[in-house]
Amino acid sequence: MKNRKVFTLLLTGMLTLSMGNPVYASGTDAAIAEAQAEKQAAEEGLAQVQSSIGTLESKKQELESYLADLNAQYEDLTNSISELSIQAAEKEDELNNVKKELKKAKKASADQYESMKLRIAYMYENAGTSALETLLSSESLAEFLNRAENAIQISTYDRDMLDKYVSLQKNIQENEKKVETESAEIDELMTERAAKQQEVQSMASSTSDDINSYVNQISASQEEAQQLMADISNADSSITALVQQAEAEKAAEEKAKAEAAAEAERQAAEAAAREEADQDNEGSEEADSDDDYGYDPEEDTTESSSSSTSTDIVVEEEEEADDVQSGSSEDVSEDSSQEEVSNDETASEETEDASADTSDSGSSSQGTYLGNFTLTAYCNCAQCCGTAGNLTASGTVPTAGRTVAMAGVPFGTKLLINGTVYTVEDLGTPYGHVDIYCGSHSEALSFGLQSADVYQVG
């Protein structure tokens, strides 16, 4: 009978094991791993795009500085050409005046030259007779000396006029040459400055085209970064949904295991009850058999003492049978009580484990743990928000070190992130993705993509 009880227990254990242990959410785990890989790839791509944006911004600033220098050079050349144009006009007027004076001087020189020719011709034609007659016709020595002095003065005057004529011609020619040389230099300088101005203008136009190209590349990279951030957000949402699905599958699996264990215990209890009933029946049959064997009235021919002895033997055998039956009942009772104690201990341990799990997922000294969230940054510029200077979705003025954006929680919710308490005042990212407000666009770019444990406080 004990072997039958052991066999019953072994059969119950085999029934429990035959139910199998299905692999926990294998498809969900694979989907989570795939989503996490896609998220990691998107994060790496976002980091590369943000690095590319930083490089393009740096090159754009260098070109803008270079363009400013070119514009300054172009303005200086324009001013210089304007001054040279004024100087050229002045030199042109001066050259015209010199030419006019030269023309007058040439006419005066020609007139003087003609007068001198007439005087010299007259002197040569009259030779010395006229001069001598003039001197000899003098009535006195004083008149003679006066006429001689006059002749000397006339000769000196003619010589001085000739020298002046020669000097005037020389000065006029030198001035004309000087003015023509300066005009040529001014024209050459204007030509050189105009060529330089054209070169600078061409360089400025090329630099502007390069800047526009960098602006287009930066815009395209920012659009790519926005798409990658959206992909990361979608991946976070998918991971969150898959984790919740995995937890639900795990809970369903644990529930199925618990139900299977309860069914196995129920079947074991029924088997034990049947075995106990079988033992009771077997004990009753043995007792009846002993009674038939101990006393037969037809064969009893002994004396009263023999009957008494036979009766005593029967009574002892009945007591032994009762003892055996009582022992079997006690064994069954002890086994049942041990199983009940074991079941109570298992249920207590499961309750304690559930309580521990509940306490672990609940509040901590830092607040209510929400999870490991994705962190990004934004500012109040047109690139981040479409238009600059906007208020938050809750109507407050965004403030660095306080304002964050995340959907799924009420405005005013306090979040503890890396030791800093922020307030949810804006929207734009899904639950599990915190967008932290920064004071400038460069700070938002340098923040990049991060992740951290997030607690709800207050």
Side-chain angles (χ1 to χ4, degrees), residues 95 98-99 102 172-180:
L95 181 59
V98 169
K99 287 180 178 180
L102 180 60
I172 289 173
Q173 291 176 358
E174 289 178 355
N175 288 334
E176 184 178 14
K177 185 177 181 180
K178 179 180 179 183
V179 171
E180 290 178 351

Side-chain angles (χ1 to χ4, degrees), residues 135-249:
L135 291 174
L136 292 176
S137 63
S138 299
E139 296 179 355
S140 63
L141 180 61
E143 185 178 357
F144 177 81
L145 293 174
N146 288 332
R147 288 181 177 181
E149 181 66 25
N150 288 334
I152 293 171
Q153 290 179 356
I154 290 171
S155 177
T156 302
Y157 173 77
D158 289 338
R159 188 178 296 111
D160 291 340
M161 290 301 293
L162 180 61
D163 292 339
K164 288 181 179 180
Y165 171 76
V166 173
S167 177
L168 180 60
Q169 291 291 330
K170 183 179 180 181
N171 289 335
I172 289 173
Q173 291 176 358
E174 289 178 355
N175 288 334
E176 184 178 14
K177 185 177 181 180
K178 179 180 179 183
V179 171
E180 290 178 351
T181 302
E182 290 179 353
S183 297
E185 290 177 353
I186 291 174
D187 291 340
E188 182 180 358
L189 189 59
M190 286 183 63
T191 303
E192 180 182 351
R193 295 295 174 87
K196 184 68 175 177
Q197 185 184 28
Q198 185 67 27
E199 180 183 356
V200 171
Q201 186 177 8
S202 177
M203 293 172 65
S205 177
S206 176
T207 304
S208 297
D209 293 340
D210 293 339
I211 291 175
N212 291 331
S213 176
Y214 281 123
V215 169
N216 293 332
Q217 294 181 35
I218 291 171
S219 178
S221 298
Q222 288 175 344
E223 291 178 358
E224 184 179 357
Q226 291 292 335
Q227 182 61 42
L228 289 172
M229 291 177 65
D231 293 342
I232 293 172
S233 177
N234 293 333
D236 286 335
S237 300
S238 299
I239 291 172
T240 302
L242 289 172
V243 169
Q244 293 176 353
Q245 179 182 351
E247 291 177 351
E249 292 176 356

Side-chain angles (χ1 to χ4, degrees), residues 398-409:
T399 304
R402 184 193 72 192
T403 302
V404 295
M406 186 179 73
V409 295

Side-chain angles (χ1 to χ4, degrees), residues 16-299:
T16 303
L17 294 175
S18 64
M19 294 181 180
N21 294 320
V23 178
Y24 161 62
S26 60
T28 306
D29 287 342
I32 292 174
E34 183 179 357
Q36 289 176 343
E38 292 177 355
K39 175 184 175 182
Q40 184 177 1
E43 289 175 347
E44 293 175 355
L46 179 60
Q48 293 178 357
V49 170
Q50 288 177 340
S51 176
S52 176
I53 290 174
T55 303
L56 292 174
E57 287 283 358
S58 177
K59 291 182 179 179
K60 175 189 170 186
Q61 292 177 359
E62 292 177 359
L63 287 178
E64 287 176 346
S65 177
Y66 180 58
L67 180 61
D69 293 338
L70 290 177
N71 289 332
Q73 293 181 22
Y74 183 81
E75 185 176 357
D76 292 341
L77 288 172
T78 302
N79 295 333
S80 177
I81 291 173
S82 299
E83 293 177 359
L84 288 174
S85 299
I86 296 173
Q87 293 179 10
E90 293 176 352
K91 288 296 178 181
E92 186 69 23
D93 294 338
E94 185 179 352
L95 181 59
N96 291 332
N97 293 330
V98 169
K99 287 180 178 180
K100 289 179 182 180
E101 291 178 359
L102 180 60
K103 187 176 181 181
K104 290 179 182 180
K106 286 181 178 180
K107 186 177 182 301
S109 175
D111 293 341
Q112 184 180 358
Y113 181 70
E114 292 297 329
S115 298
M116 288 179 64
K117 285 197 302 181
L118 291 173
R119 189 178 296 110
I120 293 171
Y122 176 78
M123 290 176 63
Y124 277 107
E125 287 175 357
N126 294 310
T129 303
S130 297
L132 183 59
E133 288 178 356
T134 301
L135 291 174
L136 292 176
S137 63
S138 299
E139 296 179 355
S140 63
L141 180 61
E143 185 178 357
F144 177 81
L145 293 174
N146 288 332
R147 288 181 177 181
E149 181 66 25
N150 288 334
I152 293 171
Q153 290 179 356
I154 290 171
S155 177
T156 302
Y157 173 77
D158 289 338
R159 188 178 296 111
D160 291 340
M161 290 301 293
L162 180 61
D163 292 339
K164 288 181 179 180
Y165 171 76
V166 173
S167 177
L168 180 60
Q169 291 291 330
K170 183 179 180 181
N171 289 335
I172 289 173
Q173 291 176 358
E174 289 178 355
N175 288 334
E176 184 178 14
K177 185 177 181 180
K178 179 180 179 183
V179 171
E180 290 178 351
T181 302
E182 290 179 353
S183 297
E185 290 177 353
I186 291 174
D187 291 340
E188 182 180 358
L189 189 59
M190 286 183 63
T191 303
E192 180 182 351
R193 295 295 174 87
K196 184 68 175 177
Q197 185 184 28
Q198 185 67 27
E199 180 183 356
V200 171
Q201 186 177 8
S202 177
M203 293 172 65
S205 177
S206 176
T207 304
S208 297
D209 293 340
D210 293 339
I211 291 175
N212 291 331
S213 176
Y214 281 123
V215 169
N216 293 332
Q217 294 181 35
I218 291 171
S219 178
S221 298
Q222 288 175 344
E223 291 178 358
E224 184 179 357
Q226 291 292 335
Q227 182 61 42
L228 289 172
M229 291 177 65
D231 293 342
I232 293 172
S233 177
N234 293 333
D236 286 335
S237 300
S238 299
I239 291 172
T240 302
L242 289 172
V243 169
Q244 293 176 353
Q245 179 182 351
E247 291 177 351
E249 292 176 356
K250 181 179 179 181
E253 181 182 352
E254 291 178 352
K255 181 179 179 182
K257 288 182 178 179
E259 292 176 353
E263 179 66 19
E265 291 177 359
R266 185 183 65 79
Q267 293 180 0
E270 291 178 354
R274 286 196 299 270
E275 183 179 1
E276 182 179 358
D278 292 341
Q279 289 177 357
D280 291 340
N281 293 330
E282 289 177 358
S284 299
E285 291 176 356
E286 289 178 356
D288 294 339
S289 176
D290 291 339
D291 290 340
D292 292 340
Y293 177 78
Y295 178 71
D296 188 358
E298 295 180 356
E299 294 180 357

